[in-house]
Amino acid sequence: MLDAKIPHGPIESKWEEYKGHCKLVNPANKRNLEVIIIGTGLAGASAAASLGELGYKVKAFCFQDSPRRAHSIAAQGGINAAKNYQNDGDSVYRLFYDTVKGGDYRAREANVYRLASVSGNIIDQCVAQGVPFAREYGGLLSNRSFGGTQVQRTFYAAGQTGQQLLLGAYSALERQVALGTVTMYSRHEMLDIVKIDGKARGIIARNLITGELERHFGHAVLICSGGYGNVFYLSTNAMGSNVTAAWKATQNGAFFANPCFTQIHPTCIPVSGDHQSKLTLMSESLRNDGRIWVPKKKGDNRKASDIPEDERDYYLERRYPAFGNLVPRDVASRAAKERCDAGYGVGTSKQAVYLDFAAAFERYGHIEAGKRQMHNASKEEIIKMGKEVVVEKYGNLFDMYAKITGEDPYETPMRIYPAVHYTMGGLWVDYELQTTVPGLYSLGEANFSDHGANRLGASALMQGLADGYFVIPYTLGNYLADEIRVKAIPTDHPAFVAAEQKVKDTLNRLINIKGTKSVDHFHKKLGKIMWDKCGMARNEQGLKEAIEEIKALRAEFYKDVRIPGGLNEMNPELEKAGRVADFLELGELMCIDALNRRESCGGHFREESQTEDGEAKRDDENFSYVAAWEYKGPSDYVLHKEPLVFEEVKPSQRSYK
């Protein structure tokens, strides 16, 4: 049985109770304890800065040339926190409730409540760092709405919130680098965990500039390497985003939880052809003011501006009147797919729907006219003023859309379609964020913990910073308090030698295949299998086919992949090959997990399990658990279950109507 180590007592006091009784490390001992952090996005950078500030000796690793290039920078819309600045009824409990409900009752209550309770502290921390959040006229921080909520709790910095938050964390990290508490290893990739006496004691990393393998000791290792959405090839993730760090942890005994829980984001620029290597996200914040619609007539080829109002189907407002365009991501994505599959899609591919700001231009224009005492303003003047307001709130997003599509979204509605975005699955961790391997922790998107089967918008940034700034400094100390007598283990220890040899053998095997097909050839093939059979909808037959197809593709990969260049040099194709090899194993596990979970919940939609009106139908009696998979070897996994107990929020059929 998996022990989640959830503290006893009422949910609102569990975290305070934990902090009041966890073990501490005195400052002099912290200077002798070494911590390795893999990844320097929001979770990794905030953890490195916080632990460095406390006095630990921190080594931080990223495969980019700078922590500023972490994929957290791509988050656009905002970060949730229950500060109730709008006085619209928000509270810690309501944020907790919305997150558990939004995740379709597949998250651990205690972790989610802790996340909600520290959310306000994150905003204060970031403001103190100088993050330029949007503000109201009177000076208070501004909020906007996101999907799955009926309050305004999302703090934002135009359409570049992730970038600004990352710059705040990066500044804190670089301060510690300057003070000498953090050593930064950029252009390094972790390729294995080193375990000694069952505990994580270090890593093997490859210097991506020279190709040299390096051994690094740590009293603990933190995996903060993000999600695995690139298993689908086409996703909103940066092309470098991968699962390798988490997968090496899995191969060393850390259980991988809920791998089939992937999130499809409803607001992305549609695929334009086979030439694409990634997809572009248009922030969910656009659903705050934009209205989503399709023509009422099938196959309608008229321009959007030529379709009159009464011939438009605002299908989210029609189907979900209580939430309208702000239903959660999984609901909005499936609804868009259903309309397109039924023949109502727009654009040349017919795989898109409209996101229209015309009503927002008018609404904001009237407000501006009132402010300026322009009682007889013409419609043109009103729309012009409304557009100026939208430019201020979303301007960089509109500019990005125009650059990519060549269309002016101020004049014609955006076309959007769902795409793979975030992953709720990840390394299984307990309440302390520790995996099933002692001394090995996982933070942010790399762990499974807080979002259940579907993440609400603006909650990824919240979780990454909560884990790094406010959770790991306590929980890691609780573990390291028992490690203060352990001296730094020399890296010529047999366990380091064996781990490095294993990495060498793997790299040699890959480079010596000398096949005929590129790494991207196999990645694209894997992505197509995953999208077609483990994407927005899954069924038993398709998943069984996918498992066999992935096995065959993996066998072909190891026979026929072509990797130019050598081992001991900069070799991006070799980097990619290692990552795709890991995706080829993870993809199979995702399909195994999806096949095992014979219910629909959140982003996991099994066609055999749906309500009469096509909504996800959960099976709480049989599947109210976290599926934690133990790796025994390729295609060999053992399922462990962590039962989910709901004491505060009773599971019910999700309804946004």
Side-chain angles (χ1 to χ4, degrees):
M1 179 68 73
L2 289 165
D3 180 10
K5 297 184 192 166
I6 298 169
H8 297 294
I11 196 164
E12 60 274 7
S13 59
K14 285 183 190 293
W15 181 230
E16 292 304 317
E17 181 74 11
Y18 177 91
K19 289 194 293 182
H21 295 88
C22 64
K23 297 171 188 171
L24 301 176
V25 181
N26 86 46
N29 285 332
K30 283 176 184 153
R31 291 193 289 271
N32 299 320
L33 291 168
E34 300 182 39
V35 180
I36 288 172
I37 297 178
I38 308 301
T40 52
L42 286 181
S46 59
S50 301
L51 296 172
E53 182 83 42
L54 286 170
Y56 293 106
K57 290 165 72 175
V58 178
K59 293 180 180 179
F61 293 78
C62 71
F63 62 72
Q64 301 95 340
D65 57 358
S66 163
R68 286 174 298 175
R69 292 189 184 273
H71 188 59
S72 304
I73 206 167
Q76 298 165 341
I79 177 170
N80 287 333
K83 290 181 88 71
N84 196 29
Y85 281 177
Q86 302 292 324
N87 198 27
D88 58 358
D90 201 11
S91 65
V92 166
Y93 184 86
R94 196 172 292 277
L95 173 53
F96 156 70
Y97 172 84
D98 286 345
T99 306
V100 172
K101 177 186 174 185
D104 220 350
Y105 307 96
R106 291 294 175 263
R108 190 190 289 150
E109 275 193 340
N111 285 61
V112 179
Y113 195 90
R114 175 176 64 190
L115 175 64
S117 66
V118 304
S119 64
N121 299 346
I122 299 170
I123 305 304
D124 296 339
Q125 170 99 353
C126 294
V127 169
Q129 289 173 340
V131 173
F133 286 121
R135 292 181 181 268
E136 302 287 2
Y137 178 76
L140 277 180
L141 297 182
S142 182
N143 291 115
R144 56 189 177 202
S145 300
F146 257 61
T149 71
Q150 290 181 304
V151 297
Q152 289 181 282
R153 65 162 67 102
T154 303
F155 295 78
Y156 63 98
Q160 49 184 259
T161 314
Q163 180 179 6
Q164 298 302 331
L165 291 172
L166 185 64
L167 288 173
Y170 170 73
S171 301
L173 168 62
E174 286 301 312
R175 179 172 180 270
Q176 296 306 316
V177 170
L179 292 172
T181 61
V182 177
T183 305
M184 191 68 228
Y185 293 86
S186 57
R187 301 296 285 137
H188 279 68
E189 182 164 33
M190 186 203 96
L191 292 180
D192 209 359
I193 302 278
V194 178
K195 287 198 317 188
I196 299 174
D197 298 328
K199 295 181 177 179
R201 290 299 192 198
I203 64 164
I204 304 298
R206 183 169 182 266
N207 181 323
L208 299 180
I209 303 292
T210 65
E212 181 186 0
L213 294 180
E214 299 176 6
R215 307 170 189 176
H216 294 275
F217 165 79
H219 288 88
V221 177
L222 278 55
I223 306 291
C224 312
S225 52
Y228 50 90
N230 272 355
V231 70
F232 291 89
Y233 187 71
L234 281 180
S235 79
T236 66
N237 290 270
M239 284 308 292
S241 299
N242 63 84
V243 77
T244 289
W247 197 248
K248 298 311 178 194
T250 301
Q251 291 175 333
N252 278 284
F255 295 177
F256 205 99
N258 297 338
C260 77
F261 287 171
T262 53
Q263 180 176 79
I264 313 293
H265 196 295
T267 319
C268 298
I269 297 178
V271 176
S272 60
D274 290 341
H275 62 283
Q276 276 182 282
S277 59
K278 78 177 294 295
L279 298 173
T280 304
L281 172 70
M282 299 306 297
S283 169
E284 185 178 313
S285 61
L286 295 172
R287 290 201 281 146
N288 193 45
D289 283 313
R291 299 178 73 195
I292 293 171
W293 62 276
V294 292
K296 287 184 177 177
K297 191 170 76 176
K298 280 188 184 182
D300 195 329
N301 290 320
R302 288 177 291 175
K303 286 184 185 174
S305 55
D306 294 338
I307 301 175
E309 192 72 17
D310 61 352
E311 293 182 37
R312 301 178 177 189
D313 177 15
Y314 295 93
Y315 58 89
L316 290 177
E317 297 170 34
R318 169 173 58 80
R319 288 177 61 177
Y320 308 103
F323 283 73
N325 295 297
L326 287 173
V327 292
R329 291 175 174 178
D330 59 324
V331 177
S333 294
R334 279 196 298 276
K337 180 180 187 294
E338 183 275 327
R339 286 291 81 191
C340 291
D341 290 351
Y344 297 93
V346 301
T348 51
S349 68
K350 300 299 181 188
Q351 293 293 298
V353 298
Y354 286 126
L355 176 61
D356 195 338
F357 268 74
F361 295 151
E362 235 175 288
R363 185 175 76 252
Y364 283 128
H366 280 295
I367 293 169
E368 284 300 302
K371 283 183 189 174
R372 301 177 194 183
Q373 307 260 314
M374 295 171 63
H375 303 302
N376 297 310
S378 67
K379 186 168 183 181
E380 288 74 22
E381 287 175 314
I382 285 171
I383 288 173
K384 182 174 179 290
M385 288 186 287
K387 285 179 180 177
E388 288 168 1
V389 175
V390 169
V391 166
E392 191 179 327
K393 293 183 92 168
Y394 309 108
N396 62 315
L397 297 172
F398 276 61
D399 293 345
M400 187 169 72
Y401 182 89
K403 280 180 184 172
I404 290 170
T405 65
E407 298 174 2
D408 183 355
Y410 292 103
E411 301 303 324
T412 184
M414 294 182 187
R415 292 194 314 279
I416 57 166
Y417 192 71
V420 173
H421 178 52
Y422 185 89
T423 51
M424 285 74 64
L427 293 172
W428 183 91
V429 292
D430 59 23
Y431 189 74
E432 297 185 305
L433 305 184
Q434 187 168 217
T435 68
T436 46
V437 175
L440 182 63
Y441 290 76
S442 183
L443 284 65
E445 191 181 356
N447 74 32
F448 86 100
S449 64
D450 293 354
H451 308 296
N454 176 61
R455 177 174 68 77
L456 292 184
S459 286
L461 306 184
M462 175 173 64
Q463 187 212 342
L465 292 179
D467 287 355
Y469 283 139
F470 298 109
V471 178
I472 201 66
Y474 289 94
T475 62
L476 185 63
N478 193 51
Y479 170 78
L480 291 177
D482 294 328
E483 301 295 313
I484 56 174
R485 292 179 182 81
V486 177
K487 303 293 183 200
I489 298 171
T491 55
D492 58 2
H493 186 284
F496 278 93
V497 176
E500 183 179 325
Q501 189 58 49
K502 189 169 75 168
V503 171
K504 277 182 180 171
D505 292 346
T506 301
L507 295 174
N508 273 312
R509 180 188 179 191
L510 288 170
I511 206 96
N512 286 316
I513 293 169
K514 301 193 185 305
T516 62
K517 297 187 176 75
S518 70
V519 176
D520 280 345
H521 166 85
F522 291 99
H523 197 177
K524 283 182 180 179
K525 274 196 155 185
L526 173 65
K528 181 156 177 48
I529 295 168
M530 295 300 296
W531 179 248
D532 289 347
K533 295 178 178 176
C534 195
M536 269 204 274
R538 301 101 186 256
N539 60 56
E540 183 169 350
Q541 182 187 342
L543 289 166
K544 286 179 175 175
E545 290 171 359
I547 290 167
E548 296 309 314
E549 288 171 22
I550 293 169
K551 283 180 183 175
L553 185 65
R554 192 164 68 234
E556 187 191 347
F557 173 85
Y558 281 109
K559 279 183 193 155
D560 201 24
V561 71
R562 182 185 76 251
I563 302 169
L567 271 179
N568 302 312
E569 61 185 19
M570 181 187 282
N571 191 339
E573 286 301 301
L574 180 59
E575 293 168 38
K576 266 199 291 188
R579 296 166 189 172
V580 171
D582 293 330
F583 278 141
L584 283 163
E585 289 196 44
L586 170 72
E588 182 185 352
L589 179 59
M590 289 170 68
C591 295
I592 292 170
D593 187 43
L595 183 62
N596 173 75
R597 191 169 283 276
R598 296 182 307 280
E599 65 162 354
S600 292
C601 57
H604 168 63
F605 190 74
R606 280 288 294 267
E607 291 172 356
E608 303 92 335
S609 183
Q610 54 185 301
T611 62
E612 287 179 7
D613 51 357
E615 304 293 345
K617 186 179 180 183
R618 287 195 328 273
D619 179 354
D620 292 329
E621 190 176 338
N622 294 305
F623 294 99
S624 190
Y625 62 76
V626 178
W629 295 90
E630 180 182 5
Y631 180 92
K632 294 289 191 181
S635 303
D636 186 7
Y637 302 94
V638 176
L639 173 62
H640 300 264
K641 299 177 182 178
E642 179 203 335
L644 291 169
V645 179
F646 294 94
E647 295 173 345
E648 299 295 322
V649 181
K650 297 304 175 192
S652 59
Q653 177 64 37
R654 271 197 311 164
S655 174
Y656 295 94
K657 295 183 177 181

